[in-house]
Amino acid sequence: MGAQGISPVSGRSSRVRRGMVRVIGIAAFMLASSSFIVAAEERTPFFNGGMFYHGGYGSIAYGSGINGYANGLGGRLALALLPNLRIGGMGFASSFSYTSAGVSDSYYSVGFGGMTAEAHLSFHPIRFSLGALVGGGAIRQLHVETVNGDSSRTVRLEHYASFILMPYLITEFVISDVISIALMADWVLGSRFAGGYSYGQRIHIGLLFNR
């Protein structure tokens, strides 16, 4: 018998099947892409708050200048009032020791807090927040002026208040729906830090809770 040709009907059916496979493939790709976009634009939790530990370089315009390793603790609370805006508050205590009169017994400390506003973007599992704190702080400085023998010191102790402005950037790494680990960089500025207007830059690591 001679070879049989493929009928026009079977050829059309084959093309239809191939077309359906292409349509199904395109639909699956679009569904997967939309799922990825939804995951990338993860809904921001309404509540965000937790604790931070920080370290940084304290540098104050006092006399010829004083500086040292500044560290301390703090916390934050923020509410997502708009899709990309959070309003809340932060508070910190920070201090560093420095050398004067040949001894390292002097210190400079600041406790401050205030209202915060920040813009944020979420690209799961990372969130970014850029904002600023506006508030006030209380400053305490003990400065050793002279050393009299092994145990006697002549010191100057000062207390005063300062307006505080602190721009900051937070990067959150989402661990679960409830917990994220955060890194924050800031720069503490004020109306009065001894003879200057800057306390210094700090890096924080913190544990934040989201609801």
Side-chain angles (χ1 to χ4, degrees), residues 47-52 75-78 178 180 207-211:
F47 169 87
N48 177 266
M51 299 292 293
F52 286 97
R76 80 181 238 110
L77 171 65
V178 177
S180 59
L207 182 65
L208 299 180
F209 299 92
N210 308 282
R211 295 292 294 176

Side-chain angles (χ1 to χ4, degrees), residues 76-176:
R76 80 181 238 110
L77 171 65
L79 303 178
L81 301 183
L82 294 174
N84 294 102
L85 175 67
R86 290 197 288 212
I87 303 295
M90 289 191 195
F92 293 94
S94 185
S95 65
F96 67 90
S97 299
Y98 63 93
T99 299
S100 63
V103 295
S104 58
D105 296 337
S106 299
Y107 66 84
Y108 194 95
S109 68
V110 56
F112 67 91
M115 299 293 295
T116 61
E118 61 192 43
H120 65 89
L121 292 173
S122 182
F123 300 96
H124 190 75
I126 300 176
R127 301 189 190 109
F128 300 98
S129 301
L130 178 64
L133 174 149
V134 177
I139 294 163
R140 177 185 175 95
Q141 180 182 9
L142 186 145
H143 182 79
V144 177
E145 296 186 327
T146 60
V147 177
N148 309 309
D150 295 333
S151 59
S152 178
R153 307 280 194 272
T154 301
V155 303
R156 177 187 299 169
L157 181 62
E158 296 186 57
H159 298 267
Y160 52 91
S162 174
F163 166 80
I164 299 292
L165 172 65
M166 186 188 81
Y168 61 85
L169 172 65
I170 300 176
T171 302
E172 292 181 59
F173 302 91
V174 178
I175 305 302
S176 71

